[in-house]
Amino acid sequence: MPLTSHRRLVVSATMIAALAAGVAPATHASAADAPTATRQASAAVPQSPAAARAAATAVPAPDMEGVVAALDAAMANGAPGAMARFSGPGGVQSRAVGVQDRVNGTPMDIGSRFRIGSVSKTFSTVVLLQLVQEGRLTLDAPVNTYLPGLLPDDRITVRHLLTHRSGLADYTDPMFANTVPGFESVRNKVFGYQELVDLSLALPRTTEPGVSYKYSNANFVVVGMLIEKLTGRPVADAYQRRIFEPLGLRHTSYVHPDTRIAGRHVRGYLYPDTAGEPLVDSTEQTVSWAQSAGAVISDAADLNTFTKALVRGRLLSSAMMAEMTTVTPTDTTNTRFYGLGLRRYDLSCGTRVYGHTGTVQGFYTYAFSTRDGRRSLSAVANSTNRGAVNTALGGTLEAAFCGKKPASAARSASPAARDFSSLPAERDLPERH
């Protein structure tokens, strides 16, 4: 079915006083977030003159036209729809374009839920670091201390898992070597954690423990095993009691192995490897191949709330946050880094944002906040196996956090201040396009 040309833009605003209180209070769609048929002008709740001046001098205003341009670029590269929600000193602003359902033409809705993929890794990390705070494990202890005999190398520590420096191979590389057949083979399958670890251990290790960064979903499968071993409860229970409930994340859930996304939600679409073949609706699946590495469901408002609460110390102690935000490079661009289950991206304006990217069949996600929690962005596009869509969606970060760039600044930018949106997106799953 051809992509619809329908576009929608929605805008909502909240008062600066509500944001200053800590976690954003509204975790559901407001009236201003309801579907509309046309683009609307940005709305903002009035501030006092003093507050407006302070906000204006403290941080650049988000370039919401640039955000829309990035969303449109994601669509131009093949996504049926895309959306972004920015929360800052001036309130909340949301943008949505295209459709969230190609069959019935439902416009993309900022209040809809979606699969967040590897953003789940940050949720899993928070739970594990809370257990570290409680004295139940130590970051630099061997994994085999807590899961005896699981791994063939006693040098692999808990920290190595959280930083992707364990050397455990990513079993998703061969699993999804043929994108659609690979997906269909696991769409309704229910794996045990041990099965996924065995798939990783059957492959050659990628590096010696601690030597270098190599992204692997296997690391966070083991993190899930640690959580369940130390708590004696399913990982879903740990998410619910330790994160979802305390933060009031009413639209965030972990339903593995249920295949459904409850309520109003975005449908995801997977591009086949062969050009010209029809997109595959990948919305319903167990996500059992990922589990604690990527099976959480959420919405844009809840993701803003989560990343903001995290960096503001609502979930972890200052000591644990220092550990989590101690980063090493993931590539040679000097712009992209990884801490403990957390990415740091250094944008062209000098702003550093913390969060994670997510890829699960049919959904690309970005969820990031500044270190002080004053500004946060969540963005999603509903197609995958299309790297250009992922890269385009990443352009929302530059526009939202750096604001509108003067032409003169763009011409004089140094290599160290290169525009983040010009870099190909980091991949959380194998891709052919």
Side-chain angles (χ1 to χ4, degrees):
M1 176 179 175
L3 298 181
T4 179
S5 61
H6 182 77
R7 294 286 200 277
R8 184 173 69 82
L9 177 153
V10 290
V11 183
S12 64
T14 59
M15 295 188 69
I16 186 171
L19 293 171
V23 177
T27 58
H28 62 283
S30 67
D33 285 333
T36 61
T38 59
R39 296 186 186 275
Q40 301 173 0
S42 172
V45 175
Q47 304 176 30
S48 69
R53 286 194 298 272
T57 57
V59 296
D63 175 13
M64 298 311 293
E65 290 181 359
V67 169
V68 172
L71 299 179
D72 283 340
M75 282 192 63
N77 281 287
M83 62 181 174
R85 183 182 190 273
F86 176 79
S87 172
V92 173
Q93 300 186 67
S94 302
R95 300 291 189 273
V97 300
V99 298
Q100 64 184 30
D101 187 324
R102 298 176 73 242
V103 172
N104 60 27
T106 304
M108 185 63 81
D109 185 343
I110 197 65
S112 292
R113 305 172 78 220
F114 49 88
R115 299 191 184 280
I116 68 173
S118 288
V119 181
S120 306
K121 291 178 171 66
T122 307
F123 285 81
S124 296
T125 301
V126 166
V127 173
L128 201 66
L129 292 182
Q130 288 181 351
L131 295 173
V132 172
Q133 289 178 180
E134 295 163 14
R136 302 203 208 179
L137 80 163
T138 304
L139 281 172
D140 294 309
V143 172
N144 285 346
T145 300
Y146 310 103
L147 299 168
L150 177 69
L151 303 180
D153 193 332
D154 285 338
R155 296 175 298 167
I156 299 175
T157 68
V158 175
R159 188 186 300 274
H160 291 152
L161 299 177
L162 297 175
T163 57
H164 291 293
R165 302 173 81 85
S166 69
L168 295 176
D170 194 341
Y171 56 85
T172 65
D173 290 339
M175 182 179 285
F176 302 127
N178 296 305
T179 302
V180 171
F183 167 66
E184 294 292 2
S185 72
V186 301
R187 180 198 281 263
N188 295 304
K189 187 167 183 178
V190 178
F191 289 94
Y193 281 124
Q194 186 66 57
E195 289 180 85
L196 297 175
V197 171
D198 290 344
L199 290 174
S200 172
L201 296 180
L203 302 170
R205 279 196 271 161
T206 57
T207 181
E208 291 295 303
V211 171
S212 61
Y213 169 90
K214 183 67 175 178
Y215 192 91
S216 174
N217 287 285
N219 290 315
F220 280 80
V221 168
V222 179
V223 168
M225 296 179 76
L226 286 168
I227 291 170
E228 295 198 349
K229 175 67 178 293
L230 295 169
T231 64
R233 300 283 298 164
V235 71
D237 180 72
Y239 289 148
Q240 188 68 31
R241 290 190 305 103
R242 292 172 175 270
I243 304 175
F244 301 167
E245 288 181 1
L247 298 184
L249 305 183
R250 292 184 301 225
H251 293 160
T252 305
S253 58
Y254 181 83
V255 300
H256 172 267
D258 196 340
T259 62
R260 297 167 297 174
I261 303 177
R264 182 177 52 185
H265 60 273
V266 179
R267 301 202 69 82
Y269 299 94
L270 181 61
Y271 270 91
D273 294 339
T274 303
E277 291 187 359
L279 276 69
V280 174
D281 187 325
S282 53
T283 310
E284 279 81 34
Q285 59 164 308
T286 63
V287 201
S288 194
W289 60 266
Q291 299 187 49
S292 50
V296 173
I297 296 165
S298 192
D299 70 4
D302 275 10
L303 288 181
N304 283 160
T305 297
F306 170 66
T307 57
K308 186 185 303 183
L310 174 61
V311 297
R312 286 182 169 178
R314 285 282 307 275
L315 296 168
L316 295 169
S317 68
S318 57
M320 280 298 99
M321 282 306 302
E323 294 277 10
M324 195 176 193
T325 56
T326 298
V327 299
T328 55
T330 61
D331 57 22
T332 60
T333 66
N334 201 36
T335 61
R336 304 195 286 208
F337 304 84
Y338 208 89
L340 303 183
L342 194 70
R343 294 194 187 280
R344 189 187 91 192
Y345 286 159
D346 292 2
L347 306 180
S348 64
C349 56
T351 295
R352 293 174 172 177
V353 293
Y354 296 81
H356 216 289
T357 54
T359 302
V360 61
Q361 289 89 355
F363 303 90
Y364 288 126
T365 302
Y366 286 76
F368 285 84
S369 283
T370 52
R371 184 63 181 85
D372 60 7
R374 295 182 64 198
R375 295 177 288 160
S376 60
L377 177 86
S378 302
V380 66
N382 60 340
S383 68
T384 55
N385 198 31
R386 203 80 166 181
V389 172
N390 199 6
T391 297
L393 188 67
T396 58
L397 296 175
E398 282 280 335
F401 292 108
C402 290
K404 201 174 290 290
K405 294 181 176 65
S408 58
R411 287 194 298 269
S412 62
S414 67
R418 65 186 298 182
D419 190 326
F420 176 85
S421 59
S422 69
L423 299 172
E426 293 186 287
R427 296 191 293 183
D428 297 329
L429 279 183
E431 293 188 332
R432 301 291 164 259
H433 298 296

